[in-house]
Amino acid sequence: MSRMKGGDPAHDVLGYERQPLDAIFRPGAVAVIGATERVGSVGRTLMWNLISNPFGGTVFPVNPHRENVLGIKAYPSISEVPTRVDLAVVVSPAPSVPGVIRECAEAGVGGAIVISAGFKEIGPEGAGLERRVMEEARRGRMRVIGPNCLGVMNPHTGLNATFAKGMARPGNVGLLSQSGALMTAILDRSFQENVGFSAFVSVGSMMDVSWGDLIQYLGDDPHTQSIVIYMESVGDARSFLSAAREVAMTKPIIVIKPGRTAAAGRAAASHTGSLTGSDEVLDAAFRRSGVLRVNDISELFSMAEVLGKQPRPKGPNLTVLTNAGGPGVLATDALIAGGGRLTELSPETRKALDDILPPAWSHNNPVDILGDADPERYARALEIAAGDPNSDGLLVVLTPQDMTDPTATAEKLAPYARKTGKPMLASWMGGTDVAAGTSILNGAGIPTFDFPDSAARAFANMWRYTYNLRGIYETPELAVDVAGGEIDRERVREVIEDVRSRGRTLLTEYEAKEVLAAYGIPVVETRLARSAREAAEHAERMEYPVVLKLNSETITHKTDVGGVRLDLRSADEVRRAYEEMERSIPEGFDGATVQRMVETDGYELIVGSSIDPQFGPVLLFGSGGSLVEVYRDRALALPPLTTTLARRTMERTRIYRALKGVRGRDPVDLPALERLLVRFSHLIVEQPWIRELDINPLLVSSEIQIALDARIVLHDPDTAEEDLPHPAIRPYPTHYVFHEQTRDGEPVTIRPIRPEDEPLMVRFHETLSEESVYMRYFHMLGLNQRIAHERLTRICFIDYDKEMALVAERRNPATGEREIMGVGRLSRRPFAPEEAEFSILISDRFQRRGLGRLLLQKLLEVGREEGLEHITADILFDNRPMQRLSRDLGFKLRRDTQEMVMKADLDLRQAV
């Protein structure tokens, strides 16, 4: 067994590892290329900001036309600077930038901030300049922020590599923005509000360094507690979602993105295409990554403060404590509108409040403790309300009245800031009279708001943030074994290739239903008939529902006869079919059967997919039928889904309430519907040739779920395979499923781990000895720690682009249940993605059977396929079996007496 540097991948990092972006955020030497003394110029302001805010490094002006700038010796080029430069700040004209970056790369500069404008924002010529800049940067492994940006500040080191006026105060909020003008306004306001920042970054057009890079970097930054983003475009969607999903678990990410009312993306012929709008897709992407989207700048920073100071609520229920009725009503309206709920006070809570409050108190939530409430009454009522098991959070409202003491009340409540374990917010309404009390509450870590509706909206946002994260990391059920044989992918490929070979993009209904059936999605049974008589004969033998089609390439007429559909080529065929079918249809197959079923037992839904230009395939679920565009009751989600995410998608529609059963109707089989959506999501991410897919209607009831109609449109046949859209979230890599045998001949499946494996991983850890745990983690880690849900989510809910965990699985011959025998993991280095570390852990029951060798061999195969160049590991001196295995498979080992480990390294470019 071996471990990765930093120990447990779930993730206890030992020490700080320098990262490439440190060259930008923590430089030792900075060169300003284009520095000048011309008053009012960007080059002069940058120089002044760098030298007037000591950051612990040296500034070198680069200007071939000056001997010095602001009294500092200037150099004609970066190559003549007498020391290695970490960061180059470039303000020279756009056409010169490719050459400047080439010189920087040759001089070993680690990073650059390109302030200059005149790139892709001006059109094709500027876009070509960007490509040339990136070619030069990649040759030197440089990272570049910009172009067309304000620059970067690191207030904790004093670095001010911007042309803004002033230096941000140190704090714990990382600010990322695509608008330099907005950043300067925020900076100016921050001085008045005494707001501090851990980083202040203008990203520009994100030629290289993207949102994902910056989120990942700030996620590792000890000074950053929350990240706020002003976003105009997503850029690299997969990178953004990947980084956000990982970081949002520990640090809130709050985004404001304008453009909610912008025109939706292109309308397509399908129902799904016409209903999909880019802003709705963006909301779905934010939910899928745990990002909280807000509507205005004030919310952006208030939510950063609230989520940074208070625990996240475990539910939507807020208890409002107030000394006036009106503010409580305002808070209630805002809470409900934001998706929160008022706590239903328990009988015990009501009785306890009866004992301490005047008889005229509201006897309900909001808890109106009346205008003469003194600090003691506030404190006692708060303690009782906080103890209600139904309550998930508290809002305390104070309006200044003659008998009110805002300052003393705040002092009395301040100790409860962390005492309750629930988020606590306050609204001290007024001006100077409440200022001291507000200051006391803020100092105690209780966020305050001028008005109670703002506070209630903040709580609703907190709950939305928690709810989204829970949806991502809640352990789902196994809906489909994508690693097994439940899906007939080969048949789907055959159907699609046959259609493409005929030059078609639209599948017939029969072909579309074949595709759905291959993924286990129930469809109306469809038979091909060569004549109307054969269709009638089929109808007599088969149970409803059934679709029968004439075997024709061209369909010009359709008719429904007694629940049996015929696709016919001429009016004569239609007439003859009617006559034939009227004589042959079994009793009870009248044409109103489907309608009666919908009206009495079932619901018509739509499930569909289309392509978003930023996020690739997008899934739609909602009310279906012929009025789908009228009702517009739908929810969007990014595939692939788990059963949890499928349920969350359904919950966002109005019809979901009906599906649970209303007015005496039986509820729909919701777990089965979740599984259907999961299968559908795998279909649309695993079959990239599908451009649009509609199931409308999908008929569901308490007993049946069946696709009555389906439509599939493929991408243009001339599309190159590498140009097909890719999902924003990498799907389960089924091509890394291997069927092997142990040394003694027992069948074993080696496959990538998946979120549904958490229960199996719990049982796996229960089988490990203390010695195995120590060999893997280099220290003792108790069972309760190893199987904690928060830890296992990091192990099972992985991003396959960043790491690959393979489990060795077997069927227990005695019980028939699946069990995990061992786990191997490859984790890429965050800022050196061509390198990865491996670790292996085998259950004691299955050691010495060749599983370790099998897992490591498959990890190396995966590493090569994923484009890795180096694989490393740290192995304890006592772990000689793993040392021998590593040597056998080509690793070079060296003894590191400082870390007391054997360092294993394999160059995959040379290894066979």
Side-chain angles (χ1 to χ4, degrees), residues 19 38 70 176 212 237 266 357 392 426 464 475 525 549 562 731 754 864:
Q19 302 166 346
R38 181 164 52 85
L70 298 180
L176 312 176
R266 70 169 185 87
L357 296 179
D392 301 307
R464 184 155 53 94
T475 306
E525 189 171 354
K549 294 190 173 185
R754 56 195 174 201
R864 291 187 182 92

Side-chain angles (χ1 to χ4, degrees), residues 1-5 7 9 776 778 804 823-829 835-841 852 855-857 859-860 868 870-875 879 882-883 885-887 889 891-893 902-906:
M1 279 148 274
S2 67
R3 70 150 192 182
M4 295 176 293
K5 187 175 181 182
R776 167 63 182 83
F778 287 31
M804 192 66 67
V823 184
R825 184 176 300 262
L826 278 179
S827 289
R828 293 181 188 263
R829 296 184 183 277
E835 300 177 10
E837 294 175 285
F838 85 82
S839 64
I840 290 177
L841 180 58
L855 277 171
L856 187 50
Q857 286 173 332
L859 287 177
L860 298 184
L868 291 176
H870 283 274
I871 295 180
T872 63
D874 290 354
I875 307 173
N879 195 351
M882 181 55 69
Q883 293 173 30
L885 174 58
S886 300
R887 282 196 185 94
L889 294 181
F891 283 82
K892 295 180 179 178
L893 271 65
M902 297 294 289
K903 296 281 187 180
D905 179 83
L906 178 67

Side-chain angles (χ1 to χ4, degrees), residues 594-806:
V594 173
Q595 188 62 34
R596 284 205 311 271
M597 186 175 180
V598 171
E599 290 176 352
T600 58
D601 299 305
Y603 300 91
E604 288 184 330
L605 304 175
I606 181 173
V607 178
S609 170
S610 64
I611 302 298
D612 179 81
Q614 292 184 107
F615 294 99
V618 179
L619 182 147
L620 176 145
F621 170 87
S623 302
S626 59
L627 297 179
V628 60
E629 288 94 346
V630 176
Y631 294 136
R632 294 181 67 83
D633 175 28
R634 80 296 180 95
L636 304 184
L638 295 188
L641 299 181
T642 62
T643 53
T644 301
L645 292 169
R647 184 175 68 254
R648 293 297 179 84
T649 303
M650 293 190 292
E651 287 172 354
R652 293 197 301 275
T653 61
R654 292 188 295 277
I655 199 171
Y656 179 71
R657 185 177 174 187
L659 299 179
K660 293 192 294 182
V662 291
R663 296 184 179 180
R665 296 175 69 172
D666 291 336
V668 165
D669 186 347
L670 290 174
L673 188 53
E674 290 171 12
R675 293 192 291 271
L676 185 148
L677 288 179
V678 171
R679 289 173 178 272
F680 183 89
S681 77
H682 284 293
L683 166 59
I684 62 180
V685 295
E686 291 179 1
Q687 303 298 334
W689 280 105
I690 295 179
R691 192 182 78 200
E692 296 172 11
L693 198 165
D694 283 345
I695 303 175
N696 184 30
L698 172 71
L699 185 62
V700 298
S701 70
S702 58
E703 298 179 355
I704 192 171
Q705 298 189 8
I706 195 161
L708 297 185
D709 203 353
R711 180 177 185 273
I712 295 179
V713 182
L714 304 181
H715 289 280
D716 190 282
D718 295 333
T719 306
E721 193 158 353
E722 59 270 20
D723 294 334
L724 292 172
H726 297 289
I729 298 169
R730 183 173 176 178
Y732 188 83
T734 55
H735 55 293
Y736 293 145
V737 177
F738 308 99
H739 299 287
E740 304 288 341
Q741 288 186 342
T742 60
R743 191 179 294 149
D744 52 5
E746 181 174 16
V748 59
T749 298
I750 295 178
R751 59 167 178 81
I753 203 166
R754 56 195 174 201
E756 294 87 351
D757 285 329
E758 183 175 345
L760 297 182
M761 286 299 295
V762 170
R763 293 197 287 273
F764 169 73
H765 276 276
E766 291 172 348
T767 69
L768 300 177
S769 67
E770 290 186 357
E771 181 183 8
S772 293
V773 171
Y774 181 77
M775 289 291 186
R776 167 63 182 83
Y777 300 111
F778 287 31
H779 62 276
M780 290 311 303
L781 197 63
L783 178 62
N784 288 341
Q785 293 174 278
R786 300 200 310 273
I787 65 174
H789 172 69
E790 292 75 14
R791 178 180 178 276
L792 288 183
T793 57
R794 296 286 189 178
I795 289 175
C796 299
F797 293 70
I798 66 171
D799 182 340
Y800 300 112
D801 277 334
K802 289 185 175 178
E803 59 181 327
M804 192 66 67
L806 299 179

Side-chain angles (χ1 to χ4, degrees), residues 123-141:
E125 183 181 350
L129 278 177
E130 282 198 13
R131 286 192 294 272
R132 289 170 53 198
V133 169
M134 282 311 302
E135 288 170 3
E136 302 296 347
R138 288 193 181 101
R139 287 195 186 101
R141 299 170 70 96

